[in-house]
Amino acid sequence: MRKTLEKRLAYLYKGELFSIITFVPVSYLVNYAFPNLQLYSLYSFWISFILLEILLLQGTFYWYVKCKRLRNENNAITPTKVVRLLHYLKMLNIVMMMTAIVVFFFDFIKWYPSLPLDGLTIAFFIYIFAILEFINYFYIQLSYDNISDIKSLIRVRKLKYSCMNKEFSLNILTKNKEPRSAWFLSSIVRSFGYFMLAVSLRSL
């Protein structure tokens, strides 16, 4: 059982790491082979691509920590300090996703009327992919890549909460439990997120 779980965790973090490394040359080759897409000239592409890479990096870090702890301590529960760090990163991810909306609007204004629609479409799909990864990590498990998970999904007919989300709940990350400095930081991040959302809505 322990070996099976260890292999699963190793598979997850190595898979995420492989994606991080692979996406960089792939994006370069696409931009080089299809210059008409104007990918590297679009701010929306860069913020979407960086957001996706950051999310994959967070996933790699999370699975690696769990795998390492299982190997060394025979315990796959994520350390509290790591869960708290991921909780703060979750809020920064939200801010970045909101900022991306403004950036897409900026690109639209900058390139209009000669919009590189194909490039913008690719940037948008990368952005949607990043959002799905965010949901998969921090809220609901959307990825089911093994037989046991698929069987469980068919039997229960309900998506599961993500592992990270469950650990957030277990650590009871609330204002009352956080140090004052951490609560202050999270409040600033939330305020900035609300501000960027208001700006994006007004722009639209």
Side-chain angles (χ1 to χ4, degrees):
M1 183 67 180
R2 178 182 175 276
K3 284 293 183 182
T4 301
L5 179 57
E6 185 180 327
K7 287 181 180 179
R8 176 64 179 167
L9 293 173
Y11 165 79
L12 288 170
Y13 88 74
K14 288 177 181 178
E16 303 292 43
L17 183 60
F18 177 78
S19 297
I20 293 171
I21 296 170
T22 304
F23 286 166
V24 175
V26 168
S27 72
Y28 176 81
L29 289 174
V30 170
N31 183 70
Y32 180 79
F34 305 98
N36 58 305
L37 294 175
Q38 300 286 341
L39 274 185
Y40 279 15
S41 299
L42 295 170
Y43 293 115
S44 53
F45 166 79
W46 282 113
I47 193 169
S48 300
F49 184 76
I50 291 171
L51 173 62
L52 177 59
E53 291 283 273
I54 288 174
L55 285 166
L56 290 171
L57 184 60
Q58 291 170 24
T60 302
F61 172 67
Y62 175 69
W63 297 122
Y64 174 75
V65 168
K66 290 180 76 69
C67 185
K68 184 178 179 182
R69 193 173 194 197
L70 180 62
R71 286 172 180 169
N72 297 338
E73 304 176 28
N74 199 29
N75 181 2
I77 297 175
T78 311
T80 300
K81 62 181 180 179
V82 174
V83 178
R84 288 184 180 276
L85 172 62
L86 290 166
H87 186 260
Y88 302 139
L89 291 174
K90 172 185 172 182
M91 292 182 287
L92 290 173
N93 294 333
I94 292 172
V95 171
M96 198 168 178
M97 286 187 287
M98 292 176 177
T99 304
I101 297 173
V102 180
V103 175
F104 270 97
F105 188 74
F106 175 80
D107 268 347
F108 183 85
I109 295 174
K110 177 185 175 183
W111 290 89
Y112 188 83
S114 303
L115 293 171
L117 291 178
D118 292 337
L120 284 170
T121 300
I122 292 174
F124 180 72
F125 275 114
I126 294 173
Y127 176 65
I128 295 300
F129 185 37
I131 291 176
L132 292 175
E133 281 292 329
F134 174 75
I135 295 171
N136 184 54
Y137 287 143
F138 293 93
Y139 290 99
I140 304 294
Q141 182 180 337
L142 300 178
S143 176
Y144 296 85
D145 57 356
N146 62 71
I147 296 175
S148 61
D149 275 353
I150 294 172
K151 286 182 178 179
S152 176
L153 180 62
I154 294 172
R155 185 178 67 255
V156 179
R157 296 182 182 180
K158 184 179 180 182
L159 296 175
K160 299 189 297 185
Y161 287 108
S162 67
C163 291
M164 204 180 292
N165 192 1
K166 292 175 184 176
E167 295 201 90
F168 289 157
S169 300
L170 288 173
N171 279 271
I172 317 175
L173 292 168
T174 63
K175 292 179 183 178
N176 294 330
K177 297 292 181 180
E178 292 175 341
R180 183 168 297 182
S181 58
W183 174 81
F184 181 69
L185 175 62
S186 64
S187 298
I188 291 175
V189 172
R190 286 193 202 98
S191 299
F192 182 70
Y194 295 145
F195 171 75
M196 291 306 302
L197 178 61
V199 170
S200 62
L201 290 175
R202 285 192 64 184
S203 300
L204 294 173

